[in-house]
Amino acid sequence: DQQVKQNSPSLSVQEGRISILNCDYTNSMFDYFLWYKKYPAEGPTFLISISSIKDKNEDGRFTVFLNKSAKHLSLHIVPSQPGDSAVYFCAAREYGNKLVFGAGTILRVKS
Amino acid sequence: DAGVTQSPTHLIKTRGQQVTLRCSPKSGHDTVSWYQQALGQGPQFIFQYYEEEERQRGNFPDRFSGHQFPNYSSELNVNALLLGDSALYLCASSFNRGQGNTIYFGEGSWLTVV
């Protein structure tokens, strides 16, 4: 049973435009949601997170939105840059800092 | 301030052999979690160590075991290796009483079983 789902395996965006990556979850007990960026042959790099009691968190070009009623969150990257091309993972935190990950979305930003 | 460090970076083992992977958490962190990432998938939680004890465990067989040392570093051991154990093994470090955004990953150990 997949508790965290990223339904888009890939996304292609033009440089300068907005990238929107989506994530759905099923477990209402998750208390934090995190986004990680991963390049091939590297470990995941933390990008941004949001508490389950918030509906928006912003950090520079990155904004995460949380819709608890829909059990849906999204990561917005504005403006998108070629260096943003990577795999993006959505993760949800359970008790004790255990993370449940989605399968990832490959973002390609074209210049 | 060193981040999460893992060793070795790459290794190749034969089916049936045993492997040990190592992780040093970020300074100030006391909790270490291990994840397995197969190609094309997200990381899957193996287990977590805190205060030198296994606190949580994911859906992995007993062939996967671990240890945490007094300095908070950790080892992941896999016995009787199968071809399907080939994956990237990631170590995550956190502070037990930290907020949910303080979970950092190492670069991973690439294990190939032949």
Side-chain angles (χ1 to χ4, degrees):
Chain A
D1 178 28
Q2 247 186 309
Q3 297 187 76
V4 178
K5 290 184 182 180
Q6 293 177 256
N7 291 318
S8 298
S10 64
L11 174 68
S12 186
V13 172
Q14 199 68 34
E15 181 180 7
R17 306 295 291 269
I18 184 172
S19 295
I20 300 176
L21 297 103
N22 294 303
C23 179
D24 297 297
Y25 63 95
T26 57
N27 188 345
S28 300
M29 299 304 292
F30 292 140
D31 65 349
Y32 259 93
F33 300 91
L34 300 85
W35 285 93
Y36 288 86
K37 173 181 179 181
K38 188 178 184 300
Y39 294 115
E42 293 185 10
T45 300
F46 170 76
L47 272 178
I48 190 169
S49 66
I50 187 167
S51 165
S52 60
I53 62 173
K54 305 281 190 182
D55 55 18
K56 177 182 175 181
N57 187 29
E58 192 171 354
D59 184 1
R61 297 188 297 117
F62 302 92
T63 303
V64 57
F65 296 91
L66 175 62
N67 182 334
K68 284 189 69 176
S69 61
K71 292 190 174 67
H72 176 85
L73 64 156
S74 60
L75 173 68
H76 293 210
I77 306 174
V78 183
S80 300
Q81 299 172 354
D84 295 330
S85 297
V87 180
Y88 287 78
F89 288 101
C90 168
R93 190 182 83 148
E94 286 189 338
Y95 165 77
N97 284 339
K98 171 190 172 184
L99 295 178
V100 180
F101 282 85
T105 297
I106 300 170
L107 173 64
R108 179 175 168 237
V109 180
K110 298 176 288 186
S111 55
Chain B
D1 177 22
V4 183
T5 58
Q6 292 186 243
S7 63
T9 307
H10 295 83
L11 68 167
I12 300 174
K13 290 285 187 178
T14 303
R15 276 179 299 174
Q17 283 189 317
Q18 180 263 347
V19 67
T20 297
L21 308 178
R22 296 174 178 83
C23 172
S24 292
K26 183 177 170 61
S27 177
H29 284 182
D30 57 8
T31 302
V32 172
S33 301
W34 287 92
Y35 292 80
Q36 180 196 67
Q37 186 180 13
L39 274 177
Q41 298 181 22
Q44 301 290 317
F45 177 79
I46 302 174
F47 44 51
Q48 183 181 87
Y49 277 85
Y50 170 67
E51 292 187 338
E52 301 179 49
E53 290 191 357
E54 183 183 288
R55 181 163 69 173
Q56 294 190 75
R57 189 178 184 91
N59 189 24
F60 279 80
D62 292 344
R63 298 186 297 110
F64 289 77
S65 63
H67 190 78
Q68 186 179 35
F69 299 94
N71 67 352
Y72 307 120
S73 67
S74 176
E75 288 182 349
L76 163 66
N77 301 293
V78 187
N79 295 321
L81 285 167
L82 304 173
L83 295 180
D85 295 331
S86 296
L88 175 66
Y89 288 85
L90 294 163
C91 171
S93 141
S94 59
F95 180 57
N96 182 51
R97 292 197 175 93
Q99 294 186 7
N101 62 345
T102 56
I103 302 171
Y104 297 98
F105 283 84
E107 295 296 302
S109 294
W110 286 95
L111 171 64
T112 301
V113 182
V114 298

